[in-house]
Amino acid sequence: MEKGRQLYEGKAKKVYATDDPALYIVSYKDDATAFNGEKKGTIVGKGVVNNTMSNIIFALIGEAGVPTHFVRQLSDSDTLVKAVTIFPLEVIIRNVSAGSFSKRYGVAEGIPFAKPTLEYSLKNDDLGDPLINDDHVMALGLASEDELATVRKYAHRVNEIMSRFFLDKGLRLIDFKIEFGRLPDGTIILADEVSPDTCRLWDIKTNEKMDKDRFRRDLGKVEETYQEVLARVKGE
Ligand code: UDP
C-alpha cells in the first residue's frame, strides 16, 4: 500500500490517503511536544516505539472484542489504519492520581482510586483542551447519548485489558488518553495511539516513571525509557 496525499500533520503523526478511501496510512514522528505545544523536542526512536507498541496493544484490544482502526503495520514507523471521523474528545481513564488531576484538585500523585475514573477533554488547542462532561458533549452535538455510552464502555474495557497487560510487564497503568472515531456506517472504533506518549506507566518495583513525563519534567533517560517500555511490551 502506497502513501498518497498528506491529509493531516499533527504533533506526533502524519496521516496520508491511500488509493482505498476506507484506509489511511499513519506515519509516526520523533517530534515531542508538551504543555499544549509550549515545550518542543525530539525523542530519537519515539516514532518506531509508539508505532510498534500501539499496534501490539491494538491487536490485543481487538482480540478482546473492542474494534480498533488497526489494519497492519507497514514499516517501523508506518501503519495502515481504517479511515474514521475522530470524535474531538480525549477520553482519559485514571486509576491513580497524577498529572492534571493532582494539579486541579490539589492532591498528591500516586493515590489509587477506588474505581477507574473517566473524564473527557475537548480536543481544541486554542482553548487548551478544556474538561467537558457528557451533557456538554451532547449540547455541542459531538456525539449522541448512545455513542457516548459505547465510548465509555469501550474505554473501561480498554483499561481492564491494558492494566492487566502492563502489570504482567512490571508496569502500573496510572492513567491514559484514548480517542475514538466513527466509521461511515456509524460503527465506533478505537483510533489514534496507545504509547508512552499517551499513558502514564510506573515501574512496579521502583515507581520510576516510564512515560512521557520523563520529557515533560526533564527527568532524563527519555530515549532509553521509551526503548525499555517497547522491549517489555514485546516481551524481550
Ligand atoms: N494525555 C495525552 N494527551 C493530552 C493530554 C493527556 O495523551 O493531550 C495523557 C497523558 O499522557 C496521561 C493522561 O492522558 O497519561 C492524563 O493526562 P493529564 O490530564 O494528567 O494531563 P497532563 O498532566 O499530561 O497535562
Side-chain angles (χ1 to χ4, degrees), residues 90 92 94 98-101 119 129 175-177 197-200 216:
E90 302 197 330
I92 293 169
R94 302 176 186 277
S100 71
F101 182 95
E119 70 192 41
D129 296 342
D175 58 31
F176 62 93
K177 183 267 303 182
D197 275 8
T198 65
C199 300
R200 282 197 171 89
R216 292 189 190 99

Side-chain angles (χ1 to χ4, degrees), residues 85-179:
T85 309
I86 298 275
F87 293 102
L89 296 174
E90 302 197 330
V91 181
I92 293 169
I93 295 237
R94 302 176 186 277
N95 296 305
V96 177
S97 66
S100 71
F101 182 95
S102 290
K103 202 166 170 207
R104 186 177 316 117
Y105 302 116
V107 294
E109 293 198 308
I111 302 166
F113 298 142
K115 65 182 185 98
T117 301
L118 185 150
E119 70 192 41
Y120 312 103
S121 295
L122 176 67
K123 265 171 69 105
N124 184 319
D125 285 340
D126 294 339
L127 300 176
D129 296 342
L131 263 187
I132 181 168
N133 70 21
D134 287 63
D135 285 350
H136 298 154
V137 170
M138 283 181 275
L140 293 169
L142 305 178
S144 70
E145 197 152 11
D146 284 354
E147 286 175 330
L148 268 188
T150 302
V151 163
R152 297 181 79 92
K153 184 181 76 180
Y154 284 168
H156 283 290
R157 187 84 190 95
V158 167
N159 184 43
E160 288 161 14
I161 298 161
M162 294 209 299
S163 292
R164 204 175 313 127
F165 175 78
F166 284 123
L167 200 59
D168 186 49
K169 312 293 180 191
L171 295 165
R172 266 174 97 193
L173 180 59
I174 303 301
D175 58 31
F176 62 93
K177 183 267 303 182
I178 47 179
E179 297 182 21

Side-chain angles (χ1 to χ4, degrees), residues 183-196:
L183 289 173
D185 72 358
T187 308
I188 291 172
I189 67 175
L190 183 67
D192 196 48
E193 68 175 286
V194 168
S195 71

